[in-house]
Amino acid sequence: MPGDRNPLIRALAIRTMSYIPIPVVTDSLIEPLRHCLKDRDPYVRKTAAICVAKLYTADPRRAEKGGFVEMLRDLMLDGNATVVANAVAALSEIGDRQDGVIFKLNLATANKLLAALGESSEWGQIYILDTLLRYVPERHGDAELMAERIIVQLQHANAAVVLTTIKALLYLMNYMDNRKLIDYCCKKMGPPLVTLLSSGPEVQYVALRNILLIIQRRPAVLKNDVKVFFCKYNDPIYVKLAKLEIMYRLARTENANEVLAELQEYASEVDVDFVRKAVRSIGRLAIKVEAGADNCIQALLSLIDTKVSYVVQEAVIVIKDIFRRYPGKYEGIIPKLCENLDLLDEPESKAAMVWILGQFSDRIDNADELLDDLLYTFLDESVEVQLALLTAAVKLFIYKSSLDSTKALVHKVLKWATENVDNPDLRDRGFMYWRMLAVNPSIAGSIVLAEKPAITTDSDRMDRGALDQLLLHTGTLGSIYHKNPETFIRNAAGKALVDSPALNPNSRAALVPLPRPQLPPTTINVPGPGPTEPQMKMISINADLALKPAPPIPSSSTIPDTTQSLSAHGGDDDDDDGPPVAADPYSNLDGAFGNYLQDEPRPIGTGNQQTNRHADLDDLLF
């Protein structure tokens, strides 16, 4: 095969063999693959680069011992851009494994990759740009120079290239000090993101989910483009909901009236979920932008006048939060809410209205009558409503303790809560209230009626460290789910910003440590079949892509096969923080499961592992 004159035949042969992960084929693949990585034809070399990643998936130990990772490193300096891109793709796939090599770049290698960027295909550009996240700038100037070189890729027609370029720019901004250049990059990122919204609904949704992350970290990117996110009549519901969230994020004093007018239009739509979200967004807008709160309240009152059940219920829920945000300012609308009490049939809206009745029972003349009506169905309500009714009854008693009707009402509620209810939270709260009122009602009043902290929009913001982590996955499933890939993809390696002298102080303050498991310092005996190796080592591609083998492990250790360990553990073992198990209950079950290694039991710990509780996890790194 290596001697065939046709490069297409050579490439197809090596590719076909690499896609058959069985030992017989893998044994025959080693030498041909070694020759193809040094082939004179670039098509064969770029195919062989991908085959190395396939070989590593099938047999990581053999790929490392055969020196294929080092050969991939050499291919990164190849003169052909396609070969470079495929070598980068293969190394990235290997480096993303928890048991893979540590793949890092230095400045010289990163510059060589950027030189191949212009000649690469779209997928090659994506891989090269994504690999730049493995480069950690040591100086502000290095990050700024690299950002200037890749910013031109924002003009690319491919949406994936644009999103990957934005990901790389957002990463480099953490290591930049030039405020003007950062503002310039933010200004340049806006138009490409807006252009993505003219694509199909699926691409729109991906772009919107990424935009939602980007504007939380860099609001200046789209601060003047809120109108772009106004919903169209033919947008799918998932696109509309994503646009609503972004409209709220971009709302500020200057554009609050425009956003409010648009939300009022949405509140008259036919889609129930969309209307609910629009009404709730009006309330959130009132909480976020104080200057527009009056107009938002008027809009909510006009929606309540429609007498539409789900609209009224959503309005009551957000008005409760507005009362918390602006205490003593809008209590005059409480009578309007009480008129629509019969329209409330959902637990959240009922609980909100009950909270209003209890909190302002001193201002509502017939609060006892309203609460008494709601108590008819106390035992049939959800726990959320029952807790609200219990607290509201106690507040009413504190405010109007002289009335006999109030005393009878609170006694009835406390008796139900402590004797007729199975929920422990409700029962414990009932006992607590009863004892406080029996011992000292004045102290009970100071506790139950204590001043509530004003609601802010801080709870809507994602944690800075988690946000920086998610932005490293821009354009991937992680940015759509708003979750790190290691939480839903088995064996995926996590990403986080790496500290360096160039890292901004704000980014350093929110830095999320991401320790990578290291090889165990002592020998480990794991039961089960598998070859015994004299030593093992972990390959690390450091700043200059050199290999640094780990200290050898004594040959007396019994090391399981890599594929067996990965199948049995999945790379996601939980650390055993408890005391080690004295004896292995599965010691006599070796081989009982045949070749079904995934089902073979593994002990959590053994008596000789007291000094190394992370042995099961660390043993997976070869």
Side-chain angles (χ1 to χ4, degrees):
M1 178 183 61
D4 195 289
R5 294 184 177 181
N6 190 336
L8 184 61
I9 298 296
R10 298 198 297 273
L12 290 178
I14 200 73
R15 185 175 68 179
T16 303
M17 293 180 68
S18 68
Y19 275 71
I20 307 176
I22 58 177
V24 176
V25 179
T26 303
D27 292 339
S28 305
L29 174 67
I30 300 299
E31 289 305 318
L33 180 58
R34 196 184 307 277
H35 287 292
C36 289
L37 285 169
K38 300 177 181 179
D39 197 278
R40 63 184 180 276
D41 191 278
Y43 180 79
V44 180
R45 297 199 301 274
K46 71 102 174 175
T47 304
I50 297 298
C51 293
V52 173
K54 299 296 179 185
L55 175 63
Y56 197 97
T57 302
D59 195 342
R61 193 179 302 176
R62 175 169 292 182
E64 292 175 5
K65 287 185 175 181
F68 289 105
V69 179
E70 295 93 326
M71 298 177 77
L72 278 182
R73 176 198 62 191
D74 297 336
L75 284 184
M76 291 178 64
L77 307 178
D78 196 278
N80 187 282
T82 305
V83 176
V84 172
N86 281 29
V88 166
L91 280 171
S92 297
E93 183 174 337
I94 294 173
D96 285 341
R97 294 167 56 102
Q98 286 189 345
D99 62 327
V101 299
I102 300 175
F103 180 26
K104 294 182 181 179
L105 297 179
N106 63 0
L107 181 59
T109 309
N111 285 331
K112 290 179 181 178
L113 292 182
L114 288 177
L117 191 62
E119 302 176 8
S120 302
S121 63
E122 293 176 346
W123 288 111
Q125 292 180 28
I126 293 170
Y127 279 119
I128 291 175
L129 289 168
D130 192 62
T131 305
L132 292 181
L133 272 66
R134 301 179 186 272
Y135 165 65
V136 182
E138 297 294 328
R139 298 180 302 169
H140 298 305
D142 296 340
E144 292 163 2
L145 182 62
M146 190 168 293
E148 291 175 349
R149 293 184 64 180
I150 67 173
I151 199 169
V152 67
Q153 299 298 323
L154 290 174
Q155 303 174 12
H156 203 283
N158 187 285
V161 176
V162 171
L163 285 176
T164 310
T165 305
I166 290 174
K167 172 169 62 175
L169 287 172
L170 290 170
Y171 168 74
L172 292 172
M173 283 183 192
N174 293 293
Y175 298 91
M176 291 163 55
D177 192 39
N178 188 339
R179 175 52 57 182
K180 289 184 179 179
L181 182 58
I182 293 176
D183 294 341
Y184 175 76
C185 291
C186 290
K187 182 180 178 182
K188 283 292 184 180
M189 283 192 286
L193 289 172
V194 171
T195 303
L196 292 179
L197 299 181
S198 60
S199 307
E202 293 80 9
V203 177
Q204 278 189 61
Y205 184 71
V206 172
L208 290 168
R209 295 294 287 175
N210 282 275
I211 287 171
L212 187 55
L213 290 176
I214 293 170
I215 61 176
Q216 291 183 63
R217 181 65 179 84
R218 303 285 179 182
V221 173
L222 292 165
K223 65 178 182 180
N224 297 321
D225 296 313
V226 67
K227 289 185 177 180
V228 175
F229 301 99
F230 288 175
C231 300
K232 301 176 183 177
Y233 73 96
N234 57 348
D235 280 340
I237 182 61
Y238 56 88
V239 172
K240 288 182 176 180
L241 295 177
K243 285 184 174 180
L244 269 183
E245 184 66 24
I246 294 175
M247 286 169 57
Y248 162 72
R249 298 282 180 186
L250 294 177
R252 48 202 177 98
T253 304
E254 292 79 8
N255 58 20
N257 290 332
E258 291 179 283
V259 174
L260 176 59
E262 192 71 13
L263 292 175
Q264 284 183 277
E265 291 289 333
Y266 302 156
S268 60
E269 293 280 347
V270 294
D271 190 287
V272 176
D273 291 335
F274 185 50
V275 171
R276 285 178 177 272
K277 185 77 172 178
V279 175
R280 191 161 295 204
S281 296
I282 293 176
R284 295 172 67 197
L285 179 64
I287 295 171
K288 180 180 180 180
V289 184
E290 185 174 357
D294 292 342
N295 293 333
C296 291
I297 287 292
Q298 294 301 321
L300 290 172
L301 291 177
S302 64
L303 291 173
I304 291 175
D305 289 336
T306 61
K307 303 296 183 181
V308 179
S309 175
Y310 55 86
V311 173
V312 173
Q313 296 188 87
E314 290 295 330
V316 169
I317 293 170
V318 295
I319 286 175
K320 169 208 163 186
D321 293 333
I322 292 174
F323 286 160
R324 291 276 306 275
R325 175 68 176 85
Y326 306 106
K329 191 173 182 180
Y330 296 111
E331 282 76 4
I333 66 174
I334 292 177
K336 173 78 75 174
L337 302 179
C338 296
E339 293 173 5
N340 297 275
L341 201 58
D342 295 336
L343 295 175
L344 308 180
D345 55 10
E346 296 177 2
E348 189 177 3
S349 58
K350 258 189 181 180
M353 190 64 211
V354 170
W355 181 89
I356 294 173
L357 291 176
Q359 187 68 21
F360 304 104
S361 55
D362 58 330
R363 307 184 188 183
I364 304 174
D365 296 334
N366 61 338
D368 52 342
E369 298 176 6
L370 295 175
L371 281 177
D372 195 33
D373 292 341
L374 291 170
L375 286 172
Y376 281 129
T377 57
F378 178 84
L379 297 176
D380 299 326
E381 298 286 358
S382 65
V383 175
E384 180 183 6
V385 178
Q386 288 176 334
L387 288 169
L389 284 169
L390 174 60
T391 304
V394 173
K395 289 179 179 178
L396 175 65
F397 174 75
I398 293 172
Y399 278 128
K400 302 179 179 180
S401 57
S402 58
L403 298 179
D404 294 336
S405 59
T406 303
K407 295 178 182 178
L409 186 144
V410 72
H411 183 268
K412 177 172 60 176
V413 175
L414 289 174
K415 192 173 181 62
W416 281 340
T418 55
E419 297 179 5
N420 298 56
V421 175
D422 296 330
N423 185 273
D425 293 334
L426 183 60
R427 190 171 59 247
D428 290 349
R429 185 180 293 190
F431 280 123
M432 182 186 69
Y433 284 156
W434 202 325
R435 290 176 181 174
M436 283 198 304
L437 293 174
V439 173
N440 194 328
S442 62
I443 294 180
S446 63
I447 294 175
V448 177
L449 299 177
E451 184 177 356
K452 307 294 187 298
I455 286 182
T456 64
T457 56
D458 292 340
S459 59
D460 293 332
R461 300 173 186 170
M462 191 176 295
D463 178 71
R464 170 70 179 271
L467 187 58
D468 284 339
Q469 269 192 294
L470 283 177
L471 287 175
L472 297 178
H473 302 289
T474 302
T476 66
L477 278 177
S479 64
I480 298 175
Y481 294 152
H482 288 186
K483 294 181 179 180
N484 290 318
E486 61 268 25
T487 63
F488 60 88
I489 298 178
R490 181 183 298 174
N491 292 339
K495 290 182 180 179
L497 292 177
V498 180
D499 195 8
S500 83
L503 188 64
N504 296 332
N506 292 335
S507 299
R508 183 179 290 110
L511 204 60
V512 177
L514 193 68
R516 189 183 180 98
Q518 300 297 323
L519 287 175
T522 59
T523 60
I524 303 164
N525 294 320
V526 180
T532 302
E533 295 291 340
Q535 56 178 278
M536 71 178 174
K537 59 185 179 179
M538 179 174 68
I539 299 178
S540 172
I541 299 182
N542 57 13
D544 57 356
L545 297 177
L547 297 174
K548 292 185 178 180
I553 292 179
S555 58
S556 60
S557 170
T558 302
I559 307 297
D561 185 71
T562 305
T563 54
Q564 172 189 336
S565 297
L566 290 176
S567 299
H569 295 276
D572 289 329
D573 287 16
D574 292 328
D575 293 340
D576 181 17
D577 293 330
V581 181
D584 178 14
Y586 303 112
S587 59
N588 296 323
L589 296 180
D590 289 349
F593 292 85
N595 294 325
Y596 294 92
L597 299 179
Q598 285 185 331
D599 297 328
E600 185 173 3
R602 288 284 186 263
I604 295 177
T606 57
N608 62 351
Q609 291 177 339
Q610 294 182 5
T611 60
N612 188 11
R613 295 177 179 175
H614 302 279
D616 289 337
L617 176 62
D618 293 342
D619 192 42
L620 301 179
L621 298 175
F622 293 97

